[in-house]
Structures are given as structure tokens and as C-alpha cells.
Amino acid sequence: MQYNNRSFWSSIMPVTRHLLLINILVWLATYVFQQTGVIDLERWLGLHFWQGSHFNPVQLFTYMFMHGGFVHLFCNMFSLWMFGSLLERVLGSKRYLFYYISCGLGAALVQELVWQFSWQSILASMVTGPAGSSVTEIINAINSGKASFTMDEFYNLLLTVGASGAVFGILLAFGMIFPNMPMYIIPFPFPIKAKWMVLGYGAFELVFGVTGAMDHVAHFAHLGGMIAGIIMILYWKHNGTLSRGNGFY
């Protein structure tokens, strides 16, 4: 008689396991350093708007291992654990890691693009000035020292952290590779096919992003991760890397 002595942790696929570990350790380090005042890791590793002095190109990569709070970390890591190992088995560890990082980078680039087109409206919503003041007038007032902050300080306020973009890419891949797999999602008491779950997530993110609902969430970054994911999955499907034999239904 044989016994399986593998632990829960060791049963997780290696790349997914290491991604979980890195994210958890970075979150713990961020929390401890903030509490002790040693260093603000979000300042150095979080993704800032490219026009701000706090921006560094390395942040396009490092931001995806940062998380603001425990709930943020838990939701992303739960999704990564739930879908990541199966996807890693289908894609293979190297291609899976490439896919994950690429989705995170795609999310970061989309977020930077959104900031580029929306920073003026964000600034206008933050500053209370005379009725009818244009953005140019607000900027001139800031540059002349009439405001309590500088333009660079404003740019540096535009910050995002989290693995959500990469995780949404994983959800997208799961829905494309296993489109008819039944999923049980709270609060629905009935199964939903994976492809409809992914379409629903994408639709919600688009609506929330356009309407500004839940404006503390980087909805367009989530969509950026999904866009990067669908490009890679369709390319791999087209060149035969993915087929019915190794995942596609």
C-alpha cells in the first residue's frame, strides 16, 4: 500500500508556488517596513505615473508583486492558487511564467496610457478653484506657488500596485482554454461556464472603468492584463502551441 505524503504547499505547481511565496513575502516586508518607518517600498516598487519623479521603468515589473492591504493580497493569491496550477500544467512552467509576467506588463502599460489621457481630469477633480477654472489655469496656479502642492507631487500621487493585471490574464486564459468548465461563483447557486465568467468579469471592468465606479481600483489595468492574455493565447492557438490536445476545448 502506498501513501501520498505530499503537503498542500508542495502539491502546487512550482512557478505558481513561487509566485505565491514572493507576493506574500513582499507584502509582509512592505507592512513591517511601513510600521517601523524603515522604508516605503510602495515609493520604490509601486507603479507611478511616468511623468512623476518617483517613476522608474523597473516599476513596470515590480508593481505586480506589491499589494496595498491583506484583502487585496488574499483575493489575488486565492485566484492565482485556484487557477494558476492548472494553467501551468497546460502551458508548461516556462511559458506560463512568460505569460504571467507579460500580462502584468501589459496591465502596467495600459494603466500608464490611461493616466496619460486622464491626469488632467483627475487633477481638476482634486482642486477646488473658482467656478469655470480651466485645467490650464489650475496648472498655472500650482506652478506659481498658489497651491499647497507641486505638479510633481501630484504626478507622484498616481500609483498602483498589485498582481491583479496578471491574475486577470490567468482568468482570461482559463476561460479560453477551458471555456465549458462549470464554475460555482458566489452568490449564484448554479454553475456558470468559464467562458461566461471571463466575459462577465471583462464587462464589469469595462463598465466600472468608463463610469468611474470604484475609482480606487485600476479597472483598465485589469483589462490590460486580459488584452495581453488574449493576444498571446490566440497567437499560441494559431501556431499550434495550444490545441485540443493540450487544453483547448
Side-chain angles (χ1 to χ4, degrees):
M1 183 178 292
Q2 294 181 342
Y3 294 92
N4 187 352
N5 293 321
R6 295 183 67 191
S7 67
F8 166 78
W9 185 247
S10 64
S11 68
I12 303 173
M13 290 292 287
V15 172
T16 300
R17 183 170 67 246
H18 285 90
L19 288 172
L20 289 168
L21 182 61
I22 292 170
N23 277 278
I24 292 170
L25 290 178
V26 171
W27 180 81
L28 287 172
T30 302
Y31 177 80
V32 171
F33 290 159
Q34 285 180 340
Q35 294 300 310
T36 58
V38 174
I39 187 173
D40 182 3
L41 287 182
E42 284 191 352
R43 155 68 176 84
W44 299 100
L45 303 182
L47 179 64
H48 289 79
F49 182 35
W50 70 273
Q51 292 199 53
S53 60
H54 287 180
F55 173 76
N56 187 311
V58 176
Q59 296 168 358
L60 295 168
F61 172 79
T62 58
Y63 89 101
M64 68 183 80
F65 299 99
M66 303 286 296
H67 289 85
F70 177 76
V71 174
H72 188 200
L73 174 74
F74 176 81
C75 291
N76 278 340
M77 295 304 99
F78 179 79
S79 297
L80 178 59
W81 164 75
M82 187 172 182
F83 300 102
S85 283
L86 181 55
L87 191 60
E88 185 176 346
R89 288 188 176 94
V90 173
L91 297 180
S93 292
K94 290 183 179 180
R95 185 175 287 110
Y96 169 76
L97 179 60
F98 174 81
Y99 179 85
Y100 181 92
I101 297 299
S102 297
C103 288
L105 291 174
L109 293 174
V110 168
Q111 184 60 52
E112 289 289 344
L113 188 63
V114 169
W115 278 332
Q116 179 62 36
F117 285 101
S118 64
W119 70 264
Q120 293 185 349
S121 61
I122 297 173
L123 176 63
S125 68
M126 290 177 54
V127 177
T128 302
S133 295
S134 67
V135 173
T136 301
E137 291 171 330
I138 293 173
I139 294 174
N140 290 336
I142 294 172
N143 290 333
S144 64
K146 296 179 180 179
S148 59
F149 58 91
T150 66
M151 284 302 300
D152 185 60
E153 289 173 334
F154 162 71
Y155 289 145
N156 289 331
L157 290 176
L158 302 180
L159 167 73
T160 191
V161 295
S164 300
V167 169
F168 267 78
I170 285 180
L171 292 176
L172 182 281
F174 187 88
M176 292 185 69
I177 296 174
F178 307 102
N180 297 314
M181 182 174 288
M183 308 295 299
Y184 290 88
I185 305 173
I186 298 174
F188 302 108
F190 50 84
I192 300 175
K193 290 184 177 181
K195 59 185 177 183
W196 302 125
M197 177 196 72
V198 170
L199 286 173
Y201 272 123
F204 277 123
E205 292 301 319
L206 180 60
V207 170
F208 288 154
V210 171
T211 61
M214 298 175 64
D215 59 2
H216 61 287
V217 178
H219 299 291
F220 286 108
H222 298 171
L223 289 172
M226 298 181 82
I227 292 170
I230 197 171
I231 291 172
M232 284 183 285
I233 294 297
L234 289 177
Y235 173 76
W236 287 334
K237 183 181 180 181
H238 176 74
N239 68 13
T241 301
L242 290 174
S243 63
R244 289 181 182 274
N246 60 3
F248 267 99
Y249 284 9

